[in-house]
Amino acid sequence: MDPYLVNVLTLAYQGDAVYELLVRRALIQQAALPAGQMHRLAMNYVSATRQSMACDVLIPLLNKEESSVFMRARNANPAHAPRHTDIGDYHRATALEAVFGYLDLSGQQERIQELFNSIFEYLSQQKNR
């Protein structure tokens, strides 16, 4: 399967799972906390607003293919948009997730980790803002 030919919203669906798993692993490595606290901490990384912020770090790091996936996903028209999230943030978050889905389906685990590390570091510094 050529992940570039997969619908970008399907890539975002896959990327959502990949990204959240990376966040959970990173948080578990930082500290052993009760599950409820971990969930609240994870929201600093996985909400549409925070993923949109992460795009500020992600976009300059993307290569040509990744940028193409990002742009296609950002411009896609999802079947629904959440009621309590800015639509621009939602589109950027969807694009971030699509990049992670694309990289996962194309087997680029090292690249996923490289991009995630940059995002996680940035959002960790921003979490109290």
Side-chain angles (χ1 to χ4, degrees):
M1 162 177 45
D2 182 353
Y4 194 75
L5 299 177
V6 174
N7 178 291
V8 291
L9 296 177
T10 302
L11 292 176
Y13 174 76
Q14 174 72 12
D16 177 54
V18 171
Y19 185 80
E20 184 156 353
L21 183 59
L22 288 166
V23 166
R24 289 178 181 208
R25 282 185 186 148
L27 291 174
I28 288 169
Q29 289 173 353
Q30 283 185 343
L33 298 171
Q37 275 186 284
M38 290 292 223
H39 175 73
R40 285 187 293 282
L41 285 172
M43 294 313 297
N44 287 315
Y45 300 91
V46 300
S47 70
T49 301
R50 300 301 278 190
Q51 286 181 340
S52 179
M53 285 176 62
C55 290
D56 295 339
V57 148
L58 179 70
I59 292 169
L61 301 175
L62 299 178
N63 64 33
K64 183 179 175 183
E65 292 81 21
E66 296 160 353
S67 290
S68 177
V69 170
F70 183 92
M71 296 300 286
R72 287 176 30 231
R74 191 192 68 195
N75 295 332
N77 291 314
H80 70 86
R83 286 175 261 177
H84 304 292
T85 301
D86 176 81
I87 192 69
D89 285 347
Y90 184 74
H91 282 283
R92 284 171 45 110
T94 299
L96 177 142
E97 292 170 348
V99 169
F100 277 87
Y102 167 76
L103 292 171
D104 183 59
L105 292 178
S106 61
Q108 298 183 57
Q109 300 307 312
E110 286 183 29
R111 181 67 172 149
I112 288 171
Q113 198 61 56
E114 176 186 336
L115 294 175
F116 178 76
N117 289 345
S118 296
I119 289 168
F120 191 80
E121 180 180 336
Y122 174 74
L123 291 179
S124 292
Q125 294 169 359
Q126 305 295 315
K127 72 179 173 186
N128 295 321
R129 295 181 184 182

